């Protein structure tokens, strides 16, 4: 099946720094990529929808200036957590697909902000 | 707003038992429904996808059913094994995004 690579798998950073997470579709072109966040024992929550070449669409309550999403090509989307705070510590997962087809997920990034 | 509920939240069974996980959703206007497996600290593995026009899908020891009109899906696991221990998530697709339930944490004991 299709492969989505997410990097890094784990990152620890100091409060106030920025962290970039990459999501790549390795063997297909993804017109749409999604970013999710999961707090412990909670369901995955959609943060934003990223379409190649256009601005991301953010879900209500997600700060677009804090969570910068770039989808510069059909195989790469990045999520940058700017000025990270401890409350941003979470598990972030990306998924990629082609309109209404089966979505494929990255392996996730565990972010810990000290 | 779509709400996805999974029952039970946690389940512990001895090896070899058959079991059923339940998922319900409030808005039946879905494109498809997927069941995922999530191991601790890991990403998601897609297990089964059921299109809205389908009633069930099978893969090995797994069988998922969908009753769209009543907003319900079940995941049946036959002859459970310790390796099946994980969190199982169901998610419904509306538009291009998925709405997830909180998952059922399954523990299969030897």
């Amino acid at each position: 099946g299709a492969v989505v690579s997410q990097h890094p798998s784990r990152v620890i950073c100091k409060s106030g720094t920025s962290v970039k997470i990459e999501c790549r579709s390795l063997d297909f072109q993804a017109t749409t990529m999604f970013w999710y966040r999961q707090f412990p024992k909670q369901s995955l929550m959609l943060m934003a929808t990223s379409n190649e070449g256009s601005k991301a669409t953010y879900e209500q309550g997600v700060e677009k200036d804090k969570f910068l999403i770039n989808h510069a090509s059909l195989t790469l989307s990045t999520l940058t957590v700017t000025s990270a705070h401890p409350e941003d510590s979470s598990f972030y997962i990306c998924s990629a697909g082609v309109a209404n087809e089966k979505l494929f997920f990255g392996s996730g990034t565990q972010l810990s902000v000290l | 707003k779509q709400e996805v509920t999974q029952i039970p939240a946690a389940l512990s069974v001895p090896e070899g038992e058959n079991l059923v996980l339940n998922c319900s959703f409030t808005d039946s206007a879905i494109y498809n429904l997927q069941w995922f497996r999530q191991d601790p600290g890991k990403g998601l593995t897609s297990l089964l996808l059921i299109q809205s026009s389908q009633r069930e899908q099978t893969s090995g020891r797994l069988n998922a059913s969908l009753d769209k009109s009543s907003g319900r899906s079940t995941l049946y696991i036959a002859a459970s094994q310790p390796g099946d221990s994980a969190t199982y998530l169901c998610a419904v697709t509306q538009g291009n995004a998925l709405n997830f339930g909180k998952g059922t944490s399954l523990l299969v004991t030897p």
Side-chain angles (χ1 to χ4, degrees), chain B residues 84-98:
Chain B
D84 295 332
S85 299
T87 297
Y88 290 81
L89 296 162
C90 78
V92 295
T93 300
Q94 287 183 304
N96 272 338
L98 277 73

Side-chain angles (χ1 to χ4, degrees), chain A residues 34 38 43 91 100 102-103 107, chain B residues 31 38 42-43 95-96 98 101:
Chain A
F34 304 91
Q38 185 181 33
S43 60
F91 191 62
N100 282 337
K102 185 175 180 178
L103 292 177
S107 55
Chain B
Y31 188 76
Q38 184 177 32
K42 303 285 187 179
N96 272 338
L98 277 73

